[in-house]
């Protein structure tokens, strides 16, 4: 499989949300919520964005307290955490503001990404700390979750009002699947098989990639026709595992 | 003298061996004696002054120093190489390099393959897979990264699969720098040099 990052419609919506964030009206509204079911490409997108922009990435823990969160943030910023919470808070603001200033001089976006935010999205103390940091230096803060973040935030209007952009990662469209197959698969694939991949994957990127690997394995061993590997070529072969039943799905004889 | 035919260091060597003990010569005198241009003499004298072989008594008038006389007697030949030990410390970290992006992607990942890192970190880099493999070998030799026993399945018929790695020492945000001369990995985060001389 080719090691190429593919800009699917979800990635494009994420990037446009960040652009919109820069042009927001209310300056204090700098929270972005990225939500969606597992396997839709959230982590891959975020990993690519963080690696390219040098942002701060934290993975929320179930038992996070404000102090633990501050300590992790300070460690990521390479600062020895002071003892008192007050000093930690001041130090975090100082460090983040310096980095944000440097990033703006280099004309790149700088932000704080908190992955697995479902763990903290119903905890007022952590959310208030995040809001305070984000408000004070107008730092874009991206909360990444698996479907519950938006609903949980609704209980905290003072935080929810700071959410400037909501990006919901949706299931891949036919164009997304075609783009993924064309960009990443090392063998040509016919349209009927792409349609079948969309159906069996139910639009989940993880399953689409699994199907691409199986198609590639077959295509590299046989000689596909000019139009690429078709459904008929792969009849009877495993294409993907069903995530609900954990049963293999095979390509039927003909559609 | 035709500059195109000169070896690097030939002019300073010529000037060094032309001047005599206790004698101060002007640029014009050296130009006339050696058939060089003013610019060539000035540049050559500059290289000798750097090495502390020559001193400028007054503007445009040069005399050999004690070190210069010793060098002359020893028949020293000036070359284009380093003229003093390289005592420079470690370079400052550069923020936006391919290796920095790789390191950031590693810190965010659990287990990873070269392909996954390339996908996250690559921009328009030349041969990113090869580059990533080399950097991972340095990190592995220094004990920062461990190779996992089970490989990711490949798709090619003869594929041995793809090695999977895990970052063991996540010391901080700045990517460790491989120093070929010292055969070590400098970690900016902890400030230490980690030996990296296992077979790569």
């Amino acid at each position: 499989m080719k090691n190429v990052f593919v800009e699917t419609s979800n990635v494009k919506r994420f990037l446009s949300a960040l652009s919109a964030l820069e042009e927001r009206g209310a300056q204090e509204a700098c929270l972005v919520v990225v939500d969606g079911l597992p396997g839709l490409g959230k982590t891959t997108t975020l990993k690519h964005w963080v690696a390219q922009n040098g942002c701060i990435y934290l993975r929320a823990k179930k038992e996070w307290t404000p102090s633990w969160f501050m300590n992790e943030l300070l460690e990521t910023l390479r600062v020895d955490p002071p003892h008192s919470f007050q000093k930690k808070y001041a130090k975090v603001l100082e460090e983040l503001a310096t980095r944000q200033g440097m990033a703006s001089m280099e004309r790149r976006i700088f932000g704080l990404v908190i992955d697995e935010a479902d763990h903290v999205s119903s905890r007022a103390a952590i959310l208030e700390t995040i809001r305070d940091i984000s408000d004070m230096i107008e730092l874009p803060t991206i909360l990444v979750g698996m479907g519950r973040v938006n609903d949980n935030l609704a209980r905290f209007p003072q935080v929810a009002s700071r959410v400037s952009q909501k990006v919901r990662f949706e299931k891949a469209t036919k164009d997304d699947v075609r783009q993924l197959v064309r960009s990443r698969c090392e063998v040509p694939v016919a349209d009927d098989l792409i349609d079948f991949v969309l159906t069996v994957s139910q639009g989940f990127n993880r399953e689409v990639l699994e199907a691409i690997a199986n198609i590639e394995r077959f295509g590299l061993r046989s000689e596909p026709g000019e139009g690429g590997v078709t459904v008929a070529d792969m009849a009877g072969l495993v294409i993907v595992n069903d995530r609900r039943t954990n049963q293999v799905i095979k390509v039927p004889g003909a559609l | 003298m035709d500059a195109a035919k000169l070896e690097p260091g030939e002019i300073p060597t010529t000037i060094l061996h032309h001047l005599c003990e206790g004698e101060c010569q002007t640029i014009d005198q050296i130009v006339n004696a050696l058939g060089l241009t003013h610019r060539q003499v000035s540049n050559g004298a500059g290289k000798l002054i750097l090495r502390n072989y020559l001193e400028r008594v007054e503007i445009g008038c040069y005399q050999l120093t004690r070190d210069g006389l010793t060098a002359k007697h020893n028949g020293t030949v000036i070359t284009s190489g380093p003229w003093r030990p390289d005592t420079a410390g470690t370079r400052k970290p550069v923020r936006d390099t391919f290796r920095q992006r790789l390191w950031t992607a590693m810190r965010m990942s659990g287990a990873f393959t070269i392909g996954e890192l390339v996908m996250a970190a690559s921009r328009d880099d030349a041969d990113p897979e090869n580059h990533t493999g080399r950097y991972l070998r340095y990190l592995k030799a220094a004990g920062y990264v461990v190779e996992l026993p089970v490989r990711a399945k490949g798709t090619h018929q003869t594929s041995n699969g793809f090695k999977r790695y895990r970052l063991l020492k996540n010391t901080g945000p700045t990517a460790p720098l491989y120093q070929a001369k010292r055969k070590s990995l400098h970690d900016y985060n902890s400030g230490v040099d980690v030996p990296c001389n296992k077979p790569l």
Side-chain angles (χ1 to χ4, degrees):
Chain A
M1 213 181 302
K2 294 178 209 163
N3 302 319
V4 188
F5 181 75
V6 183
E7 283 202 11
T8 57
S9 53
N10 281 329
V11 178
K12 283 178 188 147
R13 275 190 294 112
F14 171 70
L15 295 176
S16 19
L18 292 176
S19 306
L21 183 73
E22 285 183 334
E23 291 151 21
R24 66 192 180 271
Q27 290 305 312
E28 70 279 8
C30 39
L31 288 181
V32 177
V33 174
V34 177
D35 236 352
L37 293 171
L40 290 175
K42 293 185 303 294
T43 304
T44 309
T45 305
L46 262 297
K47 201 186 278 186
H48 182 262
W49 186 74
V50 168
Q52 297 292 332
N53 292 288
C55 297
I56 303 292
Y57 174 88
L58 290 180
R59 194 187 171 102
K61 313 284 181 306
K62 195 164 182 298
E63 300 298 327
W64 251 10
T65 58
S67 187
W68 183 358
F69 160 63
M70 284 292 202
N71 283 346
E72 259 191 46
L73 186 50
L74 283 167
E75 277 165 22
T76 310
L77 294 165
R78 283 185 66 197
V79 179
D80 284 333
H83 186 67
S84 78
F85 190 84
Q86 202 179 347
K87 284 181 184 165
K88 281 177 194 166
Y89 180 73
K91 202 74 196 165
V92 161
L93 286 188
E94 188 190 323
E95 283 294 321
L96 287 175
T98 312
R99 278 159 201 247
Q100 197 179 17
M102 285 192 311
S104 95
M105 279 197 290
E106 292 167 12
R107 290 179 186 278
R108 67 182 166 84
I109 190 163
F110 178 78
L112 169 65
V113 177
I114 300 177
D115 202 358
E116 309 288 351
D118 298 272
H119 291 317
V120 295
S121 59
S122 55
R123 309 249 296 277
I126 299 262
L127 285 176
E128 291 291 353
T129 311
I130 293 171
R131 187 193 75 148
D132 285 342
I133 294 171
S134 167
D135 268 10
M136 287 300 283
I137 53 174
E138 291 172 7
L139 177 77
T141 305
I142 299 159
L143 302 174
V144 188
M146 285 186 291
R148 282 180 298 154
V149 179
N150 269 325
D151 297 340
N152 288 343
L153 285 187
R155 288 168 49 205
F156 308 101
Q158 71 281 22
V159 180
S161 67
R162 258 70 175 183
V163 178
S164 148
Q165 301 290 323
K166 291 177 185 171
V167 185
R168 185 157 187 87
F169 270 55
E170 304 288 354
K171 291 182 176 178
T173 60
K174 190 175 174 182
D175 284 342
D176 289 335
V177 176
R178 181 175 290 124
Q179 207 186 343
L180 273 168
V181 172
R182 297 266 150 87
S183 309
R184 299 212 55 191
C185 191
E186 289 182 29
V187 293
V189 183
D191 280 344
D192 63 341
L193 190 54
I194 292 178
D195 289 344
F196 184 67
V197 170
L198 175 65
T199 311
V200 293
S201 67
Q202 297 169 54
F204 286 100
N205 287 15
R206 198 170 288 165
E207 272 79 357
V208 173
L209 293 179
E210 192 187 333
I212 291 175
N214 285 325
I215 295 170
E216 207 173 271
R217 217 165 274 136
F218 169 80
L220 290 168
R221 284 159 178 72
S222 58
E223 298 250 326
E226 264 185 29
V229 182
T230 61
V231 169
D233 290 338
M234 282 195 72
L237 296 175
V238 174
I239 187 111
V240 78
N241 264 306
D242 190 327
R243 66 161 64 188
R244 286 168 304 178
T245 61
N246 206 23
Q247 299 289 312
V248 292
I249 299 177
K250 292 184 179 175
V251 182
L255 283 180
Chain B
M1 239 186 247
D2 186 357
K5 294 174 189 167
L6 292 176
E7 290 292 318
E10 195 173 327
I11 293 174
T13 309
T14 312
I15 298 171
L16 176 72
H17 293 288
H18 167 72
L19 292 172
C20 300
E21 188 174 356
E23 184 194 27
C24 177
Q25 286 200 14
T26 62
I27 288 188
D28 286 337
Q29 286 172 314
I30 302 171
V31 165
N32 290 334
L34 299 177
L36 297 168
T37 63
H38 276 75
R39 173 60 57 198
Q40 284 174 321
V41 172
S42 174
N43 288 346
K47 286 179 182 166
L48 290 172
I49 290 169
L50 266 181
R51 287 167 168 79
N52 199 27
Y53 290 164
L54 197 69
E55 61 187 354
R56 200 174 64 168
V57 180
E58 57 186 52
I59 295 173
C61 187
Y62 299 106
Q63 184 180 335
L64 288 180
T65 61
R66 191 182 296 273
D67 287 350
L69 285 170
T70 314
K72 179 178 170 152
H73 290 309
N74 293 341
T76 303
V77 175
I78 312 286
T79 61
S80 59
W83 54 277
R84 61 177 176 188
D86 182 8
T87 54
T90 312
R91 277 196 292 128
K92 276 187 181 173
V94 185
R95 282 174 202 287
D96 193 15
T97 60
F98 181 53
R99 288 191 180 183
Q100 179 58 58
R101 296 197 294 275
L102 284 176
W103 178 253
T104 309
M106 273 183 242
R107 295 181 69 222
M108 290 171 65
S109 311
F112 47 82
T113 61
I114 289 178
E116 284 164 7
L117 289 185
V118 166
M119 216 170 70
S122 176
R123 222 170 265 169
D124 294 320
D125 312 276
D127 202 357
E129 283 86 3
N130 190 10
H131 192 158
T132 309
R134 204 173 331 134
Y135 189 49
L136 280 173
R137 283 197 294 280
Y138 297 143
L139 290 173
K140 193 180 142 195
Y144 277 72
V145 157
V146 67
E147 192 182 313
L148 299 176
V150 180
R151 292 182 175 216
K153 217 171 159 188
T155 53
H156 286 250
Q157 200 161 11
T158 54
S159 173
N160 292 323
F162 300 105
K163 285 183 181 175
R164 289 164 67 245
Y165 302 89
R166 185 179 287 276
L167 184 64
L168 281 188
K169 280 195 210 168
N170 181 0
T171 50
T174 312
L177 168 81
Y178 178 65
Q179 297 168 313
K181 208 163 143 189
R182 299 180 192 171
K183 284 204 171 19
S184 69
L185 209 61
H186 180 73
D187 190 339
Y188 291 102
N189 306 303
S190 54
V192 294
D193 279 346
V194 186
C196 182
N197 47 11
K198 288 180 192 168
L200 297 174

